Amino acid sequence: MRRTVLITGASAGIGAALARVYASRGWDLILTARRQDPLQALADELTTAHGVVATVILEDLGDPAAPERLVAAIAARGLTVDGLVNNAGFSRVTGFLDTDLDAHRAMIQVMLTAPIALSRLLLPGMIQRRFGRVLNVASLAGQMPATGGDTLYGPIKSFLIKASQGLHLETLGTGVHVTVLNPGYTLTEFHDVNGSRDQVSRAYPPWMWMDAARVARIGVDASEANRPSVTPGVMNNVMAGLARFLPDGLALRMVANHARRLERL
Protein backbone atom coordinates (compact mmCIF):
# COMPACT_ATOMS: atom_id res chain seq x y z
CA MET A 1 0.00 0.00 0.00
CA ARG A 2 1.31 3.45 -0.92
CA ARG A 3 1.62 5.87 1.99
CA THR A 4 1.69 9.66 1.85
CA VAL A 5 3.57 11.98 4.21
CA LEU A 6 2.95 15.70 4.65
CA ILE A 7 6.16 17.63 5.39
CA THR A 8 6.03 21.28 6.47
CA GLY A 9 9.01 23.52 5.91
CA ALA A 10 10.10 21.12 3.18
CA SER A 11 11.87 23.56 0.88
CA ALA A 12 15.36 23.14 2.39
CA GLY A 13 17.45 21.84 5.27
CA ILE A 14 16.20 19.02 7.46
CA GLY A 15 12.75 19.20 5.85
CA ALA A 16 14.17 18.50 2.40
CA ALA A 17 16.44 15.79 3.85
CA LEU A 18 13.43 14.10 5.46
CA ALA A 19 11.57 14.26 2.16
CA ARG A 20 14.47 12.47 0.47
CA VAL A 21 14.48 9.72 3.12
CA TYR A 22 10.74 9.14 2.88
CA ALA A 23 10.83 9.13 -0.92
CA SER A 24 13.70 6.62 -0.92
CA ARG A 25 11.47 4.34 1.17
CA GLY A 26 8.55 4.58 -1.21
CA TRP A 27 6.39 7.20 0.46
CA ASP A 28 4.47 9.68 -1.67
CA LEU A 29 4.93 13.27 -0.56
CA ILE A 30 2.97 16.41 0.11
CA LEU A 31 5.50 19.23 0.38
CA THR A 32 4.52 22.58 1.82
CA ALA A 33 6.32 25.85 2.53
CA ARG A 34 6.07 29.42 1.28
CA ARG A 35 8.44 29.23 -1.71
CA GLN A 36 7.32 27.60 -4.95
CA ASP A 37 10.62 27.15 -6.80
CA PRO A 38 12.61 25.11 -4.24
CA LEU A 39 9.56 22.97 -3.42
CA GLN A 40 8.92 22.19 -7.07
CA ALA A 41 12.59 21.46 -7.70
CA LEU A 42 12.60 19.01 -4.79
CA ALA A 43 9.35 17.41 -5.96
CA ASP A 44 10.75 16.95 -9.48
CA GLU A 45 14.01 15.51 -8.11
CA LEU A 46 12.28 12.92 -5.94
CA THR A 47 9.72 11.95 -8.55
CA THR A 48 12.52 11.28 -11.03
CA ALA A 49 14.78 9.49 -8.55
CA HIS A 50 12.22 7.29 -6.79
CA GLY A 51 9.04 7.24 -8.88
CA VAL A 52 6.95 8.66 -6.06
CA VAL A 53 4.11 11.17 -6.37
CA ALA A 54 5.18 14.53 -4.93
CA THR A 55 2.46 17.17 -4.51
CA VAL A 56 3.39 20.80 -3.83
CA ILE A 57 0.98 22.99 -1.86
CA LEU A 58 2.14 26.50 -0.98
CA GLU A 59 1.12 27.69 2.46
CA ASP A 60 2.25 30.20 5.08
CA LEU A 61 1.90 28.60 8.50
CA GLY A 62 2.31 32.03 10.06
CA ASP A 63 -1.37 32.54 9.21
CA PRO A 64 -3.58 31.05 11.96
CA ALA A 65 -6.02 29.82 9.29
CA ALA A 66 -3.28 27.97 7.38
CA PRO A 67 -3.54 24.50 9.01
CA GLU A 68 -7.25 24.13 8.24
CA ARG A 69 -6.74 25.57 4.76
CA LEU A 70 -3.87 23.16 4.10
CA VAL A 71 -5.84 20.10 5.26
CA ALA A 72 -8.79 21.20 3.11
CA ALA A 73 -6.52 21.59 0.07
CA ILE A 74 -5.14 18.08 0.62
CA ALA A 75 -8.65 16.61 0.89
CA ALA A 76 -9.73 18.46 -2.25
CA ARG A 77 -6.98 16.64 -4.15
CA GLY A 78 -8.30 13.29 -2.90
CA LEU A 79 -5.16 12.63 -0.85
CA THR A 80 -4.90 10.86 2.50
CA VAL A 81 -2.21 11.85 5.00
CA ASP A 82 -0.58 8.80 6.58
CA GLY A 83 2.39 10.67 8.00
CA LEU A 84 2.91 14.20 9.29
CA VAL A 85 6.30 15.86 9.71
CA ASN A 86 6.09 19.15 11.60
CA ASN A 87 9.37 20.76 10.59
CA ALA A 88 8.62 24.41 9.71
CA GLY A 89 10.57 26.82 11.86
CA PHE A 90 13.07 29.62 12.25
CA SER A 91 14.68 31.62 15.05
CA ARG A 92 15.03 35.26 16.05
CA VAL A 93 18.54 36.12 17.23
CA THR A 94 18.15 39.89 17.67
CA GLY A 95 17.13 39.60 21.33
CA PHE A 96 13.70 39.56 22.93
CA LEU A 97 13.33 43.32 23.36
CA ASP A 98 14.80 44.17 19.96
CA THR A 99 12.33 41.91 18.15
CA ASP A 100 8.87 43.33 17.57
CA LEU A 101 5.75 41.64 18.93
CA ASP A 102 4.41 40.62 15.52
CA ALA A 103 7.63 38.72 14.84
CA HIS A 104 7.30 36.90 18.18
CA ARG A 105 3.68 36.04 17.36
CA ALA A 106 4.68 34.65 13.96
CA MET A 107 7.37 32.47 15.52
CA ILE A 108 4.92 31.03 18.07
CA GLN A 109 2.31 30.47 15.36
CA VAL A 110 4.62 28.65 12.95
CA MET A 111 6.57 26.58 15.45
CA LEU A 112 4.07 25.86 18.22
CA THR A 113 0.45 26.54 17.25
CA ALA A 114 0.59 25.16 13.69
CA PRO A 115 2.10 21.76 14.66
CA ILE A 116 -0.55 21.32 17.34
CA ALA A 117 -3.33 22.29 14.93
CA LEU A 118 -2.12 19.99 12.16
CA SER A 119 -1.72 17.10 14.60
CA ARG A 120 -5.23 17.64 15.95
CA LEU A 121 -6.70 17.80 12.44
CA LEU A 122 -4.89 14.73 11.06
CA LEU A 123 -4.50 12.33 13.99
CA PRO A 124 -8.17 11.24 14.15
CA GLY A 125 -8.01 9.88 10.59
CA MET A 126 -4.75 8.08 11.30
CA ILE A 127 -6.19 6.46 14.40
CA GLN A 128 -9.35 5.45 12.54
CA ARG A 129 -7.25 3.80 9.80
CA ARG A 130 -4.98 2.18 12.43
CA PHE A 131 -1.86 3.59 10.82
CA GLY A 132 -0.03 6.88 11.15
CA ARG A 133 3.27 8.59 11.78
CA VAL A 134 3.82 11.99 13.40
CA LEU A 135 7.42 13.20 13.50
CA ASN A 136 7.91 16.55 15.23
CA VAL A 137 11.23 18.26 14.62
CA ALA A 138 12.26 20.00 17.84
CA SER A 139 15.86 20.72 18.83
CA LEU A 140 18.61 20.04 21.31
CA ALA A 141 17.82 23.60 22.41
CA GLY A 142 14.53 22.31 23.80
CA GLN A 143 16.47 20.10 26.23
CA MET A 144 18.65 22.95 27.49
CA PRO A 145 17.99 26.09 29.52
CA ALA A 146 16.80 28.92 27.25
CA THR A 147 19.59 30.83 25.54
CA GLY A 148 19.61 34.60 25.75
CA GLY A 149 19.38 36.35 22.40
CA ASP A 150 16.94 33.85 20.90
CA THR A 151 14.93 33.62 24.09
CA LEU A 152 11.76 31.98 22.75
CA TYR A 153 13.33 29.32 20.51
CA GLY A 154 14.32 26.85 23.22
CA PRO A 155 11.07 27.15 25.21
CA ILE A 156 9.01 26.60 22.05
CA LYS A 157 11.01 23.48 21.28
CA SER A 158 10.65 22.32 24.91
CA PHE A 159 6.89 22.60 24.55
CA LEU A 160 7.00 20.57 21.34
CA ILE A 161 9.08 17.86 23.04
CA LYS A 162 6.64 17.58 25.96
CA ALA A 163 3.56 17.67 23.73
CA SER A 164 5.07 14.93 21.54
CA GLN A 165 5.71 12.75 24.56
CA GLY A 166 2.10 13.13 25.67
CA LEU A 167 0.79 12.31 22.20
CA HIS A 168 3.11 9.30 22.05
CA LEU A 169 1.45 7.94 25.19
CA GLU A 170 -2.07 8.75 23.97
CA THR A 171 -1.56 6.90 20.68
CA LEU A 172 0.10 3.74 22.00
CA GLY A 173 -1.65 0.68 20.61
CA THR A 174 -3.48 2.60 17.89
CA GLY A 175 -1.05 1.93 15.03
CA VAL A 176 0.07 5.58 15.18
CA HIS A 177 3.66 6.46 16.11
CA VAL A 178 4.51 9.87 17.56
CA THR A 179 8.20 10.76 17.80
CA VAL A 180 10.12 13.96 18.45
CA LEU A 181 13.47 14.52 16.73
CA ASN A 182 15.95 16.79 18.56
CA PRO A 183 18.82 17.80 16.24
CA GLY A 184 21.83 19.70 17.47
CA TYR A 185 24.01 21.74 15.14
CA THR A 186 23.19 20.52 11.64
CA LEU A 187 24.62 21.64 8.31
CA THR A 188 21.63 23.35 6.66
CA GLU A 189 20.60 26.82 5.48
CA PHE A 190 19.03 27.54 8.91
CA HIS A 191 21.86 29.71 10.19
CA ASP A 192 22.15 31.54 6.88
CA VAL A 193 18.48 32.51 7.09
CA ASN A 194 18.71 33.89 10.64
CA GLY A 195 22.03 35.64 9.92
CA SER A 196 24.13 33.73 12.45
CA ARG A 197 26.33 31.65 10.11
CA ASP A 198 29.57 33.49 10.91
CA GLN A 199 29.00 33.38 14.67
CA VAL A 200 28.14 29.67 14.89
CA SER A 201 30.98 28.73 12.55
CA ARG A 202 33.47 30.53 14.81
CA ALA A 203 31.90 29.22 18.01
CA TYR A 204 31.92 25.49 17.31
CA PRO A 205 34.40 23.20 15.54
CA PRO A 206 33.42 21.15 12.45
CA TRP A 207 33.30 17.86 14.38
CA MET A 208 30.31 19.12 16.39
CA TRP A 209 28.16 19.49 13.26
CA MET A 210 26.01 16.74 11.76
CA ASP A 211 24.91 16.15 8.19
CA ALA A 212 21.20 16.78 7.53
CA ALA A 213 20.81 13.50 5.64
CA ARG A 214 22.08 11.51 8.63
CA VAL A 215 19.84 13.41 11.04
CA ALA A 216 16.86 12.73 8.77
CA ARG A 217 17.58 8.98 8.60
CA ILE A 218 17.88 8.79 12.38
CA GLY A 219 14.56 10.60 12.76
CA VAL A 220 12.65 8.39 10.33
CA ASP A 221 14.15 5.21 11.81
CA ALA A 222 13.08 6.35 15.30
CA SER A 223 9.58 7.09 14.03
CA GLU A 224 9.26 3.64 12.50
CA ALA A 225 10.50 2.09 15.76
CA ASN A 226 7.94 4.19 17.67
CA ARG A 227 10.55 5.76 19.90
CA PRO A 228 9.08 8.73 21.80
CA SER A 229 12.20 10.86 21.34
CA VAL A 230 15.57 10.76 19.59
CA THR A 231 18.56 13.09 19.82
CA PRO A 232 21.11 12.38 17.05
CA GLY A 233 24.82 12.38 17.87
CA VAL A 234 26.90 11.37 20.88
CA MET A 235 27.96 14.92 21.77
CA ASN A 236 24.39 16.20 21.57
CA ASN A 237 23.29 13.49 23.99
CA VAL A 238 26.17 14.39 26.32
CA MET A 239 25.10 18.04 26.29
CA ALA A 240 21.45 17.15 26.89
CA GLY A 241 22.51 14.92 29.79
CA LEU A 242 24.62 17.66 31.33
CA ALA A 243 21.72 20.09 31.12
CA ARG A 244 19.43 17.54 32.75
CA PHE A 245 21.66 16.61 35.66
CA LEU A 246 23.67 19.74 36.39
CA PRO A 247 22.34 22.14 39.05
CA ASP A 248 20.12 24.80 37.45
CA GLY A 249 22.55 27.63 38.13
CA LEU A 250 25.48 25.80 36.54
CA ALA A 251 23.42 24.76 33.51
CA LEU A 252 22.30 28.35 33.06
CA ARG A 253 25.90 29.56 33.16
CA MET A 254 26.75 26.92 30.54
CA VAL A 255 24.14 28.24 28.09
CA ALA A 256 25.11 31.83 28.90
CA ASN A 257 28.65 31.03 27.75
CA HIS A 258 27.11 29.48 24.63
CA ALA A 259 25.18 32.70 23.93
CA ARG A 260 28.30 34.79 24.40
CA ARG A 261 30.23 32.64 21.92
CA LEU A 262 27.42 33.33 19.45
CA GLU A 263 27.63 37.07 20.23
CA ARG A 264 24.01 37.17 21.44
CA LEU A 265 24.81 38.42 24.95
Side-chain angles (χ1 to χ4, degrees), residues 145-180:
T147 302
D150 56 352
T151 299
L152 296 185
Y153 184 83
I156 288 171
K157 294 300 190 180
S158 293
F159 177 96
L160 193 59
I161 291 169
K162 297 297 186 183
S164 300
Q165 291 169 339
L167 282 176
H168 173 85
L169 294 177
E170 285 196 40
T171 54
L172 286 174
T174 67
V176 176
H177 299 179
V178 179
T179 299
V180 62

Side-chain angles (χ1 to χ4, degrees), residues 171-191:
T171 54
L172 286 174
T174 67
V176 176
H177 299 179
V178 179
T179 299
V180 62
L181 170 63
N182 308 302
Y185 281 113
T186 306
L187 294 168
T188 70
E189 301 89 340
F190 181 87
H191 297 102

Side-chain angles (χ1 to χ4, degrees), residues 71-106:
V71 170
I74 291 167
R77 289 164 169 79
L79 300 172
T80 298
V81 176
D82 303 295
L84 167 63
V85 175
N86 285 307
N87 170 72
F90 51 88
S91 70
R92 307 287 189 186
V93 296
T94 51
F96 182 81
L97 296 178
D98 290 328
T99 302
D100 65 44
L101 189 55
D102 285 342
H104 287 311
R105 287 194 184 105

